[in-house]
Amino acid sequence: MRKAKIIGTGMAVPECVVDNHLLARCMNTSDEWIMQRTGIKERRVSPDTYRMLLRLAEAPDKEAFIRDLYDHGLDGKIDSTMSVADLAHEASQAALKSAGLAIGEIDFIVDSTTFPDYAFPHTGSVLGTKFGLTSTPILNLQQGCAGFIYALACGDAFIRMGMYDRVLVVGAEMLSPVFEYSDRGRDMSVLFADGAGAVVLEAVDAASRSGIISHHLHTDGTILDKLYGEIFGTSTFPPISKKKIDDDRCRPRMHGRSVFVQAVKRFKEVIRETLEANRLTAADIDLLLFHQANLRIIDSVAEHLKIPPAKTFTNLHKYGNTSAASVPICLHEALAEGRIHEGDLILMAAFGTGFAWGASLLRW
Ligand code: UT7
């Protein structure tokens, strides 16, 4: 009998920092609104998004600038200088380094990415190319903000069943190019950003004290219209058309209030489920790593479960919502800041589009 243990962590975020003040020069928003409603102060974005925002902030006619962007690209170019696989690669290299392993020692890779480099093949294939891999199996999930929890559960399951010994698990997102930095897009564009986090899993004996204990996963697709994106999907025919752009159907959509309510409800449920399944109480948990969507969501759930702030970790003021990357980035930073000690019980929980949500419990 065996289980998986995290033996290395890594993260990557682009160098370009966008604070709320820069966004307020592009659209009708303010540092005060964003801070009060979300807790986000700044976020990291791709160099292309950053250049675009600097230009948009200076543009006298912002509508015309955005129209031109969709018509011609930025400065007449449409090829990105950084893709999501670049972030996945950097975070993976850091995780491998911390595990003291080379990529050739990894048996299997699981990545979750919401918005890929290409419609196909998936981001994992592009990541594999960046590593020069020619036969390592790579699975890609598209589980939105819950992506890392689902990917971790997959990696763990493959190890438990004895199929693989070492698995690289990645949550990588480049979301900043997908949103519109305008009044009509402000409800989403101030929240989401770019980043990647990765962990290396290794098989250990089931009796060993440290390792992954359980996962609890759920999906409810009946209200997916509260957070979704048509973009290049086959829900329209053809998937891409000028009419689709003209009809403003290439932008993600969210009903923020509904997502907020669902997130709080599902976080409470899945954390309770995890505790009950393992005969624990909230007091037994040493650190709770929440998906970083909104500080008010985290505070509300923590307060309800009577989890003191000292047992939660937040970094969304620096990075915004990096979707599938947020939990592994939290794990990496919590470790770097000395917030995790040997033997600690760590509960990780995430919620996002789908709606898909889940929690993982592990002992460090
Ligand atoms: O990872 C999972 C994915 N997403 C989430 O977890 C997001 C969950 N939802 C939320 O975090 C919150 O609902 C938001 C932060 C998105 C919004 O906060 P809210 O308190 O629910 O605000 P609201 O959507 O009810 O909007 C309040 C007002 C509206 O104006 P009116 O109708 O009251 O005049 C919005 O148009 O705030 C306006 N608004 C903004 N104002 C300034 C919406 N976005 C902005 C903005 N700046 N960026």
Side-chain angles (χ1 to χ4, degrees), residues 77-140:
K77 298 194 192 86
I78 62 162
D79 291 312
S80 305
T81 56
M82 178 191 274
S83 84
V84 64
D86 290 317
L87 289 173
H89 185 223
E90 196 183 327
S92 301
Q93 282 178 310
L96 287 165
K97 191 172 175 206
S98 94
L101 293 177
I103 188 67
E105 295 173 278
I106 295 293
D107 306 318
F108 181 50
I109 299 175
V110 192
D111 171 69
S112 187
T113 295
T114 307
F115 201 69
D117 311 57
Y118 305 110
F120 67 88
H122 58 61
T123 298
S125 285
V126 189
L127 173 62
T129 304
K130 290 188 185 292
F131 271 119
L133 296 174
T134 53
S135 76
T136 306
I138 309 179
L139 173 67
N140 220 110

Side-chain angles (χ1 to χ4, degrees), residues 327-339:
V327 170
I329 288 178
C330 278
L331 177 65
H332 181 79
E333 289 203 330
L335 271 168
E337 291 176 24
R339 295 279 310 274

Side-chain angles (χ1 to χ4, degrees), residues 28-30 33-34 37-38 145 186-187 190-192 227 254 256-257 259-260 263 291 293-294 296-297 321 351-352:
N28 190 11
T29 191
S30 65
W33 192 95
I34 302 170
R37 305 277 176 140
T38 71
C145 299
R186 67 180 181 174
D187 62 327
V190 304
L191 306 178
F192 295 91
L227 179 53
M254 180 176 81
R257 204 41 80 82
V259 179
F260 190 103
H291 165 52
N294 187 320
R296 290 188 294 140
I297 295 177
N321 182 345
F351 172 92

Side-chain angles (χ1 to χ4, degrees), residues 8 116 129 201 246 266 296 343 348 354:
T129 304
L201 301 181
D246 292 344
R266 299 310 196 177
R296 290 188 294 140
M348 305 190 283

